[in-house]
Amino acid sequence: MSENNDGFIQVKSKKKQRKKFKNSNQLCENMNINPDPVDVDELILRINNLKSQLISHDYELYVSKFLFNLDNILSNHFSKFSIERINVLCFGLGSFEENLSSRYQLALLLIIVDRLKEQAEVVIKEIFDPLFNSIDKHMLVN
């Protein structure tokens, strides 16, 4: 500690610095964590349940109205153009194993891909987020 002329005393932090990981993937890799198949199956079930909930045709829900309008927009767009193949890139979903809004976003992406498959061949080129952990990655690969 040192005292300045103005009467204030400078105090240095005594907190011990913890080793920081850039993201949960690095943490999982360093800890050698392998995803439990039960966790992946449960996560897939949760996302499929959210997908079913989103596509239910309860027009009282804003989400259903949004999907209805999105479906009309996609149908109108593809009726004007002859498109044989659609490449899908998705960035920034977040960890859907850890975050409910990320699971909703993934469910919406899957709904959109299903709708697009009615119009053309759909290839998912990449789904990426630096927050993906080993369970997220394992689920996307399978």
Side-chain angles (χ1 to χ4, degrees), residues 26-139:
Q26 186 181 1
L27 179 62
C28 289
E29 289 168 7
N30 288 343
M31 296 176 67
N32 294 324
I33 296 174
N34 292 322
D36 183 3
V38 175
D39 292 339
V40 173
D41 291 341
E42 181 182 334
L43 185 58
I44 290 170
L45 181 64
R46 285 182 183 176
I47 291 170
N48 285 333
N49 288 339
L50 290 176
K51 186 178 166 187
S52 297
Q53 180 184 0
L54 287 173
I55 60 177
S56 68
H57 292 291
D58 181 2
Y59 291 105
E60 299 299 318
L61 295 174
Y62 174 77
V63 173
S64 294
K65 290 179 182 179
F66 167 76
L67 289 175
F68 178 76
N69 291 331
L70 178 64
D71 192 37
N72 287 338
I73 290 168
L74 291 175
S75 297
N76 291 336
H77 177 74
F78 287 109
S79 65
K80 295 177 185 175
F81 303 102
S82 175
I83 298 174
E84 295 177 9
R85 182 176 174 162
I86 301 167
N87 295 325
V88 176
L89 300 171
C90 181
F91 300 106
L93 278 178
S95 173
F96 34 87
E97 191 258 337
E98 298 174 2
N99 189 316
L100 179 62
S101 66
S102 295
R103 286 193 289 272
Y104 270 106
Q105 291 176 51
L106 179 61
L108 181 59
L109 174 66
L110 295 174
I111 291 169
I112 292 170
V113 166
D114 288 346
R115 296 287 199 265
L116 292 174
K117 283 181 180 177
E118 296 171 4
Q119 306 294 329
E121 176 189 1
V122 177
V123 177
I124 299 177
K125 290 287 190 176
E126 186 172 2
I127 298 177
F128 176 77
D129 193 297
L131 296 177
F132 283 165
N133 60 32
S134 58
I135 292 176
D136 296 324
K137 290 178 182 178
H138 184 76
M139 194 187 113

